[in-house]
Amino acid sequence: MSAVEQYARAHIVTDEAQDPPAVPVALRYDPETDPRRVHIMLPGHHEWVFARDLLERGLRAPAAAGDVRIWPCGRVQAVMEFHSANGVAVVQFEAKTLIRFLRRTYTATPVTS
């Protein structure tokens, strides 16, 4: 099986008065090397790796594991919050983009216990 990679546009949330421009983000899942995890690559070579089920849970209700928090924001958006020694990055996505990515990951490989 080959990896699932999807490019998306997201907004980095800041305390600026105006809305930040959309930035390119890569979503990646590789069933052969890490079947339980997804990768989110933010601009500046920042990569976050976390459980695929955290992403799924976070699209329905607030969910957190370690340095990653995900929650729905209204009816059409989702927010991811990444904590590191350098600070916090808050990224807002269209939920349908993340849902489409998740569906592709589940068709790439069956979920096993």
Side-chain angles (χ1 to χ4, degrees):
M1 290 183 200
S2 60
V4 173
E5 191 163 279
Q6 180 175 317
Y7 295 94
R9 301 210 42 89
H11 293 276
I12 307 292
V13 179
T14 67
D15 57 1
E16 301 278 326
Q18 62 187 21
D19 288 336
V23 297
V25 175
L27 310 169
R28 184 168 172 74
Y29 172 74
D30 191 338
E32 292 179 9
T33 61
D34 205 354
R36 298 235 180 254
R37 300 193 176 280
V38 294
H39 299 247
I40 306 289
M41 279 77 71
L42 301 175
H45 305 289
H46 300 286
E47 181 175 1
W48 292 88
V49 181
F50 53 92
R52 179 172 61 171
D53 73 320
L54 174 64
L55 178 57
E56 183 176 353
R57 288 183 290 121
L59 289 171
R60 293 189 311 263
D67 296 332
V68 178
R69 292 171 178 78
I70 304 170
W71 65 92
C73 182
R75 297 176 65 145
V76 297
Q77 296 179 331
V79 174
M80 292 186 190
E81 186 177 275
F82 303 103
H83 293 255
S84 74
N86 297 327
V88 177
V90 181
V91 184
Q92 190 172 23
F93 289 87
E94 285 192 22
K96 68 181 178 181
T97 299
L98 299 174
I99 292 167
R100 184 173 34 247
F101 172 70
L102 269 177
R103 284 184 182 146
R104 290 180 65 207
T105 70
Y106 284 116
T107 59
T109 185
V111 177
T112 59
S113 298

